[in-house]
Each structure stands twice: as C-alpha cells, then as structure tokens.
Amino acid sequence: SCLTKREGIMEASGAKSLWITFSGMIDQVSFGRLISAFTAAIQNRSPQVHIMLQSTGGTVADGVALYSWIRNAQVPITVYNGGMVQSIAVIAYLGSNRRVVSKNATFMIHKTRGPAISYTGPNTASLIKGLAIDDARSEAILRERAVLSDDLWRTHSLTDLYLDANEALEHGIATEIGEFAPGKDDALISIP
C-alpha cells in the first residue's frame, strides 16, 4: 500500500484495510477530516475501515452526524475504544455495528451541557429547548443501540455515568473486547 497526501489528509491507496487513529474533540473540523479519510477508503476500495476513537466528546450535532455517517457507510467500519470515549463520542462510537473496547478502556455518558455564557430570559428559553432536543436525540440513539438497566438510566439522568469494558459489553455499548491492531500490510493514518 502507499500513502498520498491531499488537502492535509493522508490517504491510503491499494490497502487491504485502512486503520485510523483519532484523538481529539469531535467538532466540524475533525468531522470533515474523518469523512475525508472514510471517503478515501471507499474510493480506494478498502474492504474494511478501522478507527480508534480517543475523545472526551465535542459538539452534539457533529457527534450525531458522525454516528449517522458511520452507521450508513458504504464499507464496514469497526470502531475501537483504546482508552476513553466520553460524551458525544459515545454516540459516534455507537454508529458501528462492530464496536471493540480494550479491556482497560472506559466510557462516560452524560446529559447535554450548555455553554457557560451569559443569557437573557428569552435566550435562556431557547437554550433549554436546544438542550432538550440534543438530550432526546442522544437518548434515542442510546436506547436503539444499547441496553442500559433502569438503574443505569437513573444514574445517567442525575450525573455522569461511567462504564468499564465489561459493563460496556454487558450493556451493548461495545460488541466485543479486543485491541486496535493493524497488520503490517494495512495503511495506518492519524487524524489530528
């Protein structure tokens, strides 16, 4: 396989599989970079894409968009948690049908949080509506793709919910325990 650089993204050509590492916030810039890498994999006819997410979260809209893209991708995408996947990154992680977690990795899920800025009365009502919409769409994805107990939903409604690898597997966040391990002939790129 060979790597080429186009528009700041390393692309793999002729690779058996494309392996991507991503460490950072999920926002419009990182979403665009990830989609460029996924698109290059499709154009290069990679039969499989693997991505390790290491993220403390980001914006709800970009996390939901990444979830939708992974869920409907034209190539199978396996998502890995090698250390920590938090907040909206958990929703993006749930987009894949094959979700692998390292035995030492953890997840954290919480309700949507608003920005720490000053608001007027009318703006506060709008912010509350936006938070409710974001909570509803994140919860709908969690309910569709995972199986949390009533106790875990209660914890989620009150505070941050942390799950270790075994709990994530038990509750359907992850589908298997394993490691991100590219082969010597596979293309490996890092998305900043």
Side-chain angles (χ1 to χ4, degrees), residues 66-110:
L66 185 55
Y67 162 86
S68 295
W69 207 97
I70 291 170
R71 186 102 170 95
N72 297 297
Q74 297 173 8
V75 297
I77 298 175
T78 300
V79 181
Y80 297 78
N81 174 354
M84 171 60 86
V85 173
Q86 296 182 341
S87 191
I88 199 62
V90 175
I91 299 302
Y93 179 89
L94 288 171
S96 177
N97 287 328
R98 183 172 179 224
R99 302 180 299 274
V100 182
V101 60
S102 172
K103 65 182 179 180
N104 297 311
T106 59
F107 294 87
M108 188 276 286
I109 306 165
H110 62 82

mmCIF file of all heavy atoms in Angstrom, residues 66-110:
data_model
loop_
_atom_site.group_PDB
_atom_site.id
_atom_site.type_symbol
_atom_site.label_atom_id
_atom_site.label_comp_id
_atom_site.label_asym_id
_atom_site.label_seq_id
_atom_site.Cartn_x
_atom_site.Cartn_y
_atom_site.Cartn_z
ATOM 1 N N LEU A 66 -21.532 12.228 12.777
ATOM 2 C CA LEU A 66 -20.537 11.170 12.635
ATOM 3 C C LEU A 66 -21.174 9.803 12.879
ATOM 4 O O LEU A 66 -20.912 8.838 12.146
ATOM 5 C CB LEU A 66 -19.371 11.399 13.599
ATOM 6 C CG LEU A 66 -18.186 10.446 13.483
ATOM 7 C CD1 LEU A 66 -17.627 10.407 12.063
ATOM 8 C CD2 LEU A 66 -17.100 10.848 14.486
ATOM 9 N N TYR A 67 -22.059 9.707 13.869
ATOM 10 C CA TYR A 67 -22.822 8.476 14.113
ATOM 11 C C TYR A 67 -23.561 8.066 12.837
ATOM 12 O O TYR A 67 -23.485 6.915 12.398
ATOM 13 C CB TYR A 67 -23.813 8.677 15.268
ATOM 14 C CG TYR A 67 -24.912 7.650 15.312
ATOM 15 C CD1 TYR A 67 -24.723 6.433 15.959
ATOM 16 C CD2 TYR A 67 -26.135 7.883 14.683
ATOM 17 C CE1 TYR A 67 -25.729 5.477 15.989
ATOM 18 C CE2 TYR A 67 -27.138 6.939 14.717
ATOM 19 C CZ TYR A 67 -26.937 5.729 15.358
ATOM 20 O OH TYR A 67 -27.940 4.778 15.371
ATOM 21 N N SER A 68 -24.286 9.009 12.254
ATOM 22 C CA SER A 68 -25.089 8.714 11.058
ATOM 23 C C SER A 68 -24.211 8.278 9.896
ATOM 24 O O SER A 68 -24.558 7.350 9.164
ATOM 25 C CB SER A 68 -25.902 9.949 10.649
ATOM 26 O OG SER A 68 -26.837 10.263 11.653
ATOM 27 N N TRP A 69 -23.065 8.930 9.717
ATOM 28 C CA TRP A 69 -22.181 8.585 8.612
ATOM 29 C C TRP A 69 -21.624 7.181 8.797
ATOM 30 O O TRP A 69 -21.639 6.367 7.871
ATOM 31 C CB TRP A 69 -21.048 9.610 8.484
ATOM 32 C CG TRP A 69 -20.540 9.688 7.078
ATOM 33 C CD1 TRP A 69 -20.901 10.586 6.131
ATOM 34 C CD2 TRP A 69 -19.621 8.786 6.444
ATOM 35 N NE1 TRP A 69 -20.252 10.313 4.954
ATOM 36 C CE2 TRP A 69 -19.460 9.208 5.108
ATOM 37 C CE3 TRP A 69 -18.928 7.669 6.861
ATOM 38 C CZ2 TRP A 69 -18.636 8.567 4.205
ATOM 39 C CZ3 TRP A 69 -18.100 7.014 5.963
ATOM 40 C CH2 TRP A 69 -17.958 7.477 4.648
ATOM 41 N N ILE A 70 -21.142 6.881 9.990
ATOM 42 C CA ILE A 70 -20.601 5.547 10.259
ATOM 43 C C ILE A 70 -21.688 4.493 10.088
ATOM 44 O O ILE A 70 -21.472 3.442 9.498
ATOM 45 C CB ILE A 70 -19.987 5.483 11.672
ATOM 46 C CG1 ILE A 70 -18.714 6.340 11.730
ATOM 47 C CG2 ILE A 70 -19.683 4.045 12.082
ATOM 48 C CD1 ILE A 70 -18.156 6.538 13.138
ATOM 49 N N ARG A 71 -22.871 4.784 10.581
ATOM 50 C CA ARG A 71 -23.992 3.830 10.540
ATOM 51 C C ARG A 71 -24.379 3.475 9.103
ATOM 52 O O ARG A 71 -24.806 2.367 8.825
ATOM 53 C CB ARG A 71 -25.184 4.448 11.267
ATOM 54 C CG ARG A 71 -26.354 3.553 11.442
ATOM 55 C CD ARG A 71 -26.392 3.026 12.862
ATOM 56 N NE ARG A 71 -27.631 2.345 13.119
ATOM 57 C CZ ARG A 71 -27.780 1.027 13.000
ATOM 58 N NH1 ARG A 71 -26.764 0.273 12.652
ATOM 59 N NH2 ARG A 71 -28.928 0.463 13.249
ATOM 60 N N ASN A 72 -24.237 4.441 8.200
ATOM 61 C CA ASN A 72 -24.687 4.253 6.816
ATOM 62 C C ASN A 72 -23.545 4.188 5.814
ATOM 63 O O ASN A 72 -23.777 4.324 4.609
ATOM 64 C CB ASN A 72 -25.656 5.389 6.440
ATOM 65 C CG ASN A 72 -26.892 5.361 7.301
ATOM 66 O OD1 ASN A 72 -27.654 4.411 7.275
ATOM 67 N ND2 ASN A 72 -27.086 6.395 8.115
ATOM 68 N N ALA A 73 -22.332 3.985 6.275
ATOM 69 C CA ALA A 73 -21.162 3.964 5.390
ATOM 70 C C ALA A 73 -21.248 2.826 4.381
ATOM 71 O O ALA A 73 -21.863 1.796 4.632
ATOM 72 C CB ALA A 73 -19.889 3.830 6.219
ATOM 73 N N GLN A 74 -20.587 3.020 3.255
ATOM 74 C CA GLN A 74 -20.593 2.033 2.176
ATOM 75 C C GLN A 74 -19.554 0.935 2.374
ATOM 76 O O GLN A 74 -19.485 0.013 1.573
ATOM 77 C CB GLN A 74 -20.364 2.742 0.841
ATOM 78 C CG GLN A 74 -21.464 3.710 0.500
ATOM 79 C CD GLN A 74 -21.133 4.513 -0.746
ATOM 80 O OE1 GLN A 74 -20.168 4.264 -1.448
ATOM 81 N NE2 GLN A 74 -21.956 5.509 -1.028
ATOM 82 N N VAL A 75 -18.738 1.048 3.418
ATOM 83 C CA VAL A 75 -17.788 -0.009 3.784
ATOM 84 C C VAL A 75 -17.977 -0.292 5.275
ATOM 85 O O VAL A 75 -18.377 0.590 6.023
ATOM 86 C CB VAL A 75 -16.316 0.385 3.519
ATOM 87 C CG1 VAL A 75 -16.055 0.612 2.053
ATOM 88 C CG2 VAL A 75 -15.899 1.582 4.332
ATOM 89 N N PRO A 76 -17.707 -1.508 5.708
ATOM 90 C CA PRO A 76 -17.810 -1.798 7.137
ATOM 91 C C PRO A 76 -16.769 -0.997 7.921
ATOM 92 O O PRO A 76 -15.595 -0.943 7.541
ATOM 93 C CB PRO A 76 -17.516 -3.291 7.237
ATOM 94 C CG PRO A 76 -17.626 -3.824 5.848
ATOM 95 C CD PRO A 76 -17.366 -2.682 4.913
ATOM 96 N N ILE A 77 -17.221 -0.357 8.982
ATOM 97 C CA ILE A 77 -16.336 0.419 9.846
ATOM 98 C C ILE A 77 -16.378 -0.201 11.242
ATOM 99 O O ILE A 77 -17.446 -0.318 11.834
ATOM 100 C CB ILE A 77 -16.743 1.902 9.903
ATOM 101 C CG1 ILE A 77 -16.641 2.536 8.509
ATOM 102 C CG2 ILE A 77 -15.884 2.659 10.919
ATOM 103 C CD1 ILE A 77 -17.144 3.961 8.434
ATOM 104 N N THR A 78 -15.209 -0.606 11.726
ATOM 105 C CA THR A 78 -15.086 -1.090 13.094
ATOM 106 C C THR A 78 -14.530 0.048 13.928
ATOM 107 O O THR A 78 -13.541 0.677 13.556
ATOM 108 C CB THR A 78 -14.134 -2.303 13.171
ATOM 109 O OG1 THR A 78 -14.655 -3.349 12.347
ATOM 110 C CG2 THR A 78 -13.994 -2.802 14.594
ATOM 111 N N VAL A 79 -15.191 0.320 15.064
ATOM 112 C CA VAL A 79 -14.760 1.401 15.939
ATOM 113 C C VAL A 79 -14.181 0.798 17.216
ATOM 114 O O VAL A 79 -14.734 -0.157 17.768
ATOM 115 C CB VAL A 79 -15.929 2.354 16.258
ATOM 116 C CG1 VAL A 79 -15.478 3.490 17.149
ATOM 117 C CG2 VAL A 79 -16.538 2.910 14.982
ATOM 118 N N TYR A 80 -13.068 1.374 17.669
ATOM 119 C CA TYR A 80 -12.353 0.883 18.847
ATOM 120 C C TYR A 80 -12.300 1.971 19.918
ATOM 121 O O TYR A 80 -12.134 3.146 19.605
ATOM 122 C CB TYR A 80 -10.906 0.517 18.494
ATOM 123 C CG TYR A 80 -10.777 -0.599 17.497
ATOM 124 C CD1 TYR A 80 -10.969 -0.373 16.146
ATOM 125 C CD2 TYR A 80 -10.464 -1.888 17.911
ATOM 126 C CE1 TYR A 80 -10.851 -1.399 15.219
ATOM 127 C CE2 TYR A 80 -10.343 -2.920 16.993
ATOM 128 C CZ TYR A 80 -10.537 -2.666 15.648
ATOM 129 O OH TYR A 80 -10.420 -3.695 14.737
ATOM 130 N N ASN A 81 -12.391 1.548 21.167
ATOM 131 C CA ASN A 81 -12.092 2.407 22.310
ATOM 132 C C ASN A 81 -10.849 1.818 22.951
ATOM 133 O O ASN A 81 -10.904 0.755 23.561
ATOM 134 C CB ASN A 81 -13.259 2.431 23.297
ATOM 135 C CG ASN A 81 -12.941 3.204 24.571
ATOM 136 O OD1 ASN A 81 -11.819 3.646 24.797
ATOM 137 N ND2 ASN A 81 -13.951 3.358 25.415
ATOM 138 N N GLY A 82 -9.727 2.502 22.788
ATOM 139 C CA GLY A 82 -8.475 2.004 23.343
ATOM 140 C C GLY A 82 -8.161 2.576 24.708
ATOM 141 O O GLY A 82 -7.223 2.128 25.359
ATOM 142 N N GLY A 83 -8.911 3.572 25.156
ATOM 143 C CA GLY A 83 -8.622 4.194 26.444
ATOM 144 C C GLY A 83 -9.840 4.846 27.065
ATOM 145 O O GLY A 83 -10.308 4.449 28.121
ATOM 146 N N MET A 84 -10.386 5.872 26.399
ATOM 147 C CA MET A 84 -11.553 6.589 26.918
ATOM 148 C C MET A 84 -12.358 7.163 25.773
ATOM 149 O O MET A 84 -11.814 7.816 24.884
ATOM 150 C CB MET A 84 -11.110 7.722 27.849
ATOM 151 C CG MET A 84 -12.225 8.662 28.262
ATOM 152 S SD MET A 84 -13.598 7.907 29.146
ATOM 153 C CE MET A 84 -12.991 7.964 30.810
ATOM 154 N N VAL A 85 -13.647 6.894 25.791
ATOM 155 C CA VAL A 85 -14.591 7.523 24.882
ATOM 156 C C VAL A 85 -15.666 8.139 25.771
ATOM 157 O O VAL A 85 -16.295 7.447 26.565
ATOM 158 C CB VAL A 85 -15.199 6.508 23.881
ATOM 159 C CG1 VAL A 85 -16.298 7.154 23.060
ATOM 160 C CG2 VAL A 85 -14.112 5.957 22.964
ATOM 161 N N GLN A 86 -15.853 9.455 25.649
ATOM 162 C CA GLN A 86 -16.763 10.185 26.531
ATOM 163 C C GLN A 86 -17.790 10.992 25.757
ATOM 164 O O GLN A 86 -17.566 11.350 24.603
ATOM 165 C CB GLN A 86 -15.987 11.170 27.416
ATOM 166 C CG GLN A 86 -15.034 10.553 28.382
ATOM 167 C CD GLN A 86 -14.356 11.614 29.241
ATOM 168 O OE1 GLN A 86 -14.312 12.794 28.917
ATOM 169 N NE2 GLN A 86 -13.809 11.176 30.365
ATOM 170 N N SER A 87 -18.878 11.282 26.443
ATOM 171 C CA SER A 87 -19.853 12.258 25.995
ATOM 172 C C SER A 87 -20.370 11.921 24.592
ATOM 173 O O SER A 87 -20.729 10.781 24.315
ATOM 174 C CB SER A 87 -19.216 13.655 26.079
ATOM 175 O OG SER A 87 -20.154 14.667 25.895
ATOM 176 N N ILE A 88 -20.402 12.882 23.682
ATOM 177 C CA ILE A 88 -20.961 12.648 22.347
ATOM 178 C C ILE A 88 -20.118 11.676 21.542
ATOM 179 O O ILE A 88 -20.605 11.057 20.587
ATOM 180 C CB ILE A 88 -21.180 13.982 21.587
ATOM 181 C CG1 ILE A 88 -22.170 13.789 20.424
ATOM 182 C CG2 ILE A 88 -19.859 14.565 21.094
ATOM 183 C CD1 ILE A 88 -23.558 13.355 20.836
ATOM 184 N N ALA A 89 -18.863 11.461 21.924
ATOM 185 C CA ALA A 89 -18.040 10.464 21.237
ATOM 186 C C ALA A 89 -18.625 9.062 21.414
ATOM 187 O O ALA A 89 -18.464 8.208 20.543
ATOM 188 C CB ALA A 89 -16.597 10.514 21.739
ATOM 189 N N VAL A 90 -19.336 8.816 22.522
ATOM 190 C CA VAL A 90 -20.002 7.526 22.726
ATOM 191 C C VAL A 90 -21.079 7.338 21.661
ATOM 192 O O VAL A 90 -21.232 6.246 21.101
ATOM 193 C CB VAL A 90 -20.601 7.402 24.145
ATOM 194 C CG1 VAL A 90 -21.395 6.108 24.294
ATOM 195 C CG2 VAL A 90 -19.503 7.496 25.206
ATOM 196 N N ILE A 91 -21.808 8.402 21.361
ATOM 197 C CA ILE A 91 -22.850 8.322 20.334
ATOM 198 C C ILE A 91 -22.212 8.014 18.979
ATOM 199 O O ILE A 91 -22.689 7.146 18.247
ATOM 200 C CB ILE A 91 -23.677 9.626 20.288
ATOM 201 C CG1 ILE A 91 -24.374 9.874 21.638
ATOM 202 C CG2 ILE A 91 -24.679 9.597 19.139
ATOM 203 C CD1 ILE A 91 -25.306 8.764 22.107
ATOM 204 N N ALA A 92 -21.119 8.699 18.628
ATOM 205 C CA ALA A 92 -20.422 8.409 17.362
ATOM 206 C C ALA A 92 -19.952 6.955 17.342
ATOM 207 O O ALA A 92 -20.101 6.261 16.334
ATOM 208 C CB ALA A 92 -19.239 9.362 17.183
ATOM 209 N N TYR A 93 -19.410 6.479 18.454
ATOM 210 C CA TYR A 93 -18.928 5.092 18.592
ATOM 211 C C TYR A 93 -20.054 4.096 18.302
ATOM 212 O O TYR A 93 -19.842 3.069 17.663
ATOM 213 C CB TYR A 93 -18.398 4.935 20.016
ATOM 214 C CG TYR A 93 -17.860 3.585 20.406
ATOM 215 C CD1 TYR A 93 -16.523 3.263 20.210
ATOM 216 C CD2 TYR A 93 -18.684 2.634 21.014
ATOM 217 C CE1 TYR A 93 -16.022 2.025 20.610
ATOM 218 C CE2 TYR A 93 -18.184 1.408 21.407
ATOM 219 C CZ TYR A 93 -16.852 1.109 21.208
ATOM 220 O OH TYR A 93 -16.360 -0.118 21.597
ATOM 221 N N LEU A 94 -21.260 4.412 18.748
ATOM 222 C CA LEU A 94 -22.409 3.516 18.562
ATOM 223 C C LEU A 94 -22.846 3.389 17.103
ATOM 224 O O LEU A 94 -23.645 2.518 16.770
ATOM 225 C CB LEU A 94 -23.592 3.978 19.416
ATOM 226 C CG LEU A 94 -23.444 3.765 20.916
ATOM 227 C CD1 LEU A 94 -24.575 4.473 21.668
ATOM 228 C CD2 LEU A 94 -23.403 2.287 21.261
ATOM 229 N N GLY A 95 -22.307 4.200 16.209
ATOM 230 C CA GLY A 95 -22.673 4.126 14.804
ATOM 231 C C GLY A 95 -22.248 2.832 14.134
ATOM 232 O O GLY A 95 -22.870 2.380 13.177
ATOM 233 N N SER A 96 -21.206 2.219 14.632
ATOM 234 C CA SER A 96 -20.698 0.996 14.026
ATOM 235 C C SER A 96 -21.438 -0.230 14.540
ATOM 236 O O SER A 96 -21.846 -0.279 15.700
ATOM 237 C CB SER A 96 -19.205 0.852 14.359
ATOM 238 O OG SER A 96 -18.705 -0.355 13.833
ATOM 239 N N ASN A 97 -21.589 -1.221 13.676
ATOM 240 C CA ASN A 97 -22.155 -2.495 14.130
ATOM 241 C C ASN A 97 -21.132 -3.312 14.910
ATOM 242 O O ASN A 97 -21.496 -4.112 15.759
ATOM 243 C CB ASN A 97 -22.670 -3.314 12.947
ATOM 244 C CG ASN A 97 -23.937 -2.728 12.385
ATOM 245 O OD1 ASN A 97 -24.743 -2.145 13.095
ATOM 246 N ND2 ASN A 97 -24.103 -2.857 11.082
ATOM 247 N N ARG A 98 -19.846 -3.104 14.617
ATOM 248 C CA ARG A 98 -18.780 -3.798 15.345
ATOM 249 C C ARG A 98 -18.031 -2.761 16.175
ATOM 250 O O ARG A 98 -17.331 -1.898 15.648
ATOM 251 C CB ARG A 98 -17.829 -4.499 14.378
ATOM 252 C CG ARG A 98 -16.761 -5.290 15.109
ATOM 253 C CD ARG A 98 -15.933 -6.149 14.183
ATOM 254 N NE ARG A 98 -14.924 -6.855 14.959
ATOM 255 C CZ ARG A 98 -13.655 -6.981 14.586
ATOM 256 N NH1 ARG A 98 -13.254 -6.490 13.425
ATOM 257 N NH2 ARG A 98 -12.797 -7.614 15.358
ATOM 258 N N ARG A 99 -18.208 -2.856 17.511
ATOM 259 C CA ARG A 99 -17.654 -1.883 18.436
ATOM 260 C C ARG A 99 -16.746 -2.618 19.424
ATOM 261 O O ARG A 99 -17.222 -3.377 20.258
ATOM 262 C CB ARG A 99 -18.778 -1.149 19.159
ATOM 263 C CG ARG A 99 -19.711 -0.438 18.193
ATOM 264 C CD ARG A 99 -20.837 0.303 18.880
ATOM 265 N NE ARG A 99 -21.738 -0.514 19.656
ATOM 266 C CZ ARG A 99 -22.804 -1.151 19.177
ATOM 267 N NH1 ARG A 99 -23.083 -1.096 17.883
ATOM 268 N NH2 ARG A 99 -23.582 -1.857 19.974
ATOM 269 N N VAL A 100 -15.451 -2.365 19.325
ATOM 270 C CA VAL A 100 -14.455 -3.079 20.114
ATOM 271 C C VAL A 100 -13.943 -2.164 21.223
ATOM 272 O O VAL A 100 -13.700 -0.984 20.995
ATOM 273 C CB VAL A 100 -13.286 -3.543 19.215
ATOM 274 C CG1 VAL A 100 -12.264 -4.329 20.009
ATOM 275 C CG2 VAL A 100 -13.806 -4.366 18.027
ATOM 276 N N VAL A 101 -13.776 -2.737 22.410
ATOM 277 C CA VAL A 101 -13.248 -1.978 23.538
ATOM 278 C C VAL A 101 -12.065 -2.728 24.134
ATOM 279 O O VAL A 101 -12.108 -3.943 24.300
ATOM 280 C CB VAL A 101 -14.339 -1.707 24.602
ATOM 281 C CG1 VAL A 101 -14.926 -2.998 25.170
ATOM 282 C CG2 VAL A 101 -13.815 -0.835 25.729
ATOM 283 N N SER A 102 -11.001 -1.988 24.428
ATOM 284 C CA SER A 102 -9.850 -2.571 25.118
ATOM 285 C C SER A 102 -10.271 -2.948 26.534
ATOM 286 O O SER A 102 -11.110 -2.271 27.142
ATOM 287 C CB SER A 102 -8.707 -1.548 25.169
ATOM 288 O OG SER A 102 -7.658 -2.024 25.985
ATOM 289 N N LYS A 103 -9.687 -3.995 27.082
ATOM 290 C CA LYS A 103 -10.075 -4.470 28.418
ATOM 291 C C LYS A 103 -9.837 -3.417 29.492
ATOM 292 O O LYS A 103 -10.450 -3.474 30.563
ATOM 293 C CB LYS A 103 -9.339 -5.756 28.767
ATOM 294 C CG LYS A 103 -7.843 -5.605 28.894
ATOM 295 C CD LYS A 103 -7.167 -6.919 29.195
ATOM 296 C CE LYS A 103 -5.650 -6.721 29.283
ATOM 297 N NZ LYS A 103 -4.966 -7.962 29.571
ATOM 298 N N ASN A 104 -8.995 -2.414 29.230
ATOM 299 C CA ASN A 104 -8.708 -1.366 30.217
ATOM 300 C C ASN A 104 -9.367 -0.028 29.890
ATOM 301 O O ASN A 104 -9.090 0.965 30.558
ATOM 302 C CB ASN A 104 -7.190 -1.170 30.330
ATOM 303 C CG ASN A 104 -6.516 -2.415 30.849
ATOM 304 O OD1 ASN A 104 -6.926 -2.989 31.845
ATOM 305 N ND2 ASN A 104 -5.480 -2.862 30.157
ATOM 306 N N ALA A 105 -10.214 0.019 28.885
ATOM 307 C CA ALA A 105 -10.842 1.270 28.462
ATOM 308 C C ALA A 105 -12.130 1.538 29.240
ATOM 309 O O ALA A 105 -12.717 0.634 29.833
ATOM 310 C CB ALA A 105 -11.124 1.223 26.962
ATOM 311 N N THR A 106 -12.560 2.791 29.204
ATOM 312 C CA THR A 106 -13.804 3.185 29.865
ATOM 313 C C THR A 106 -14.628 4.096 28.956
ATOM 314 O O THR A 106 -14.124 4.643 27.974
ATOM 315 C CB THR A 106 -13.525 3.926 31.194
ATOM 316 O OG1 THR A 106 -12.742 5.085 30.923
ATOM 317 C CG2 THR A 106 -12.820 3.033 32.193
ATOM 318 N N PHE A 107 -15.886 4.237 29.331
ATOM 319 C CA PHE A 107 -16.825 5.131 28.661
ATOM 320 C C PHE A 107 -17.434 6.057 29.706
ATOM 321 O O PHE A 107 -17.564 5.677 30.865
ATOM 322 C CB PHE A 107 -17.975 4.343 28.016
ATOM 323 C CG PHE A 107 -17.553 3.453 26.891
ATOM 324 C CD1 PHE A 107 -17.121 2.158 27.136
ATOM 325 C CD2 PHE A 107 -17.602 3.901 25.582
ATOM 326 C CE1 PHE A 107 -16.739 1.319 26.112
ATOM 327 C CE2 PHE A 107 -17.218 3.066 24.538
ATOM 328 C CZ PHE A 107 -16.793 1.779 24.799
ATOM 329 N N MET A 108 -17.844 7.248 29.275
ATOM 330 C CA MET A 108 -18.601 8.150 30.139
ATOM 331 C C MET A 108 -19.715 8.781 29.309
ATOM 332 O O MET A 108 -19.479 9.294 28.210
ATOM 333 C CB MET A 108 -17.707 9.236 30.730
ATOM 334 C CG MET A 108 -18.419 10.096 31.801
ATOM 335 S SD MET A 108 -19.415 11.454 31.152
ATOM 336 C CE MET A 108 -18.157 12.615 30.663
ATOM 337 N N ILE A 109 -20.926 8.702 29.848
ATOM 338 C CA ILE A 109 -22.110 9.251 29.183
ATOM 339 C C ILE A 109 -22.740 10.253 30.147
ATOM 340 O O ILE A 109 -22.799 9.998 31.356
ATOM 341 C CB ILE A 109 -23.134 8.136 28.869
ATOM 342 C CG1 ILE A 109 -22.478 7.015 28.064
ATOM 343 C CG2 ILE A 109 -24.340 8.694 28.134
ATOM 344 C CD1 ILE A 109 -23.298 5.732 28.036
ATOM 345 N N HIS A 110 -23.227 11.364 29.623
ATOM 346 C CA HIS A 110 -23.923 12.339 30.479
ATOM 347 C C HIS A 110 -24.971 13.076 29.667
ATOM 348 O O HIS A 110 -25.019 12.997 28.433
ATOM 349 C CB HIS A 110 -22.926 13.331 31.105
ATOM 350 C CG HIS A 110 -22.183 14.161 30.102
ATOM 351 N ND1 HIS A 110 -22.708 15.292 29.533
ATOM 352 C CD2 HIS A 110 -20.944 14.012 29.568
ATOM 353 C CE1 HIS A 110 -21.832 15.818 28.698
ATOM 354 N NE2 HIS A 110 -20.751 15.045 28.687
#
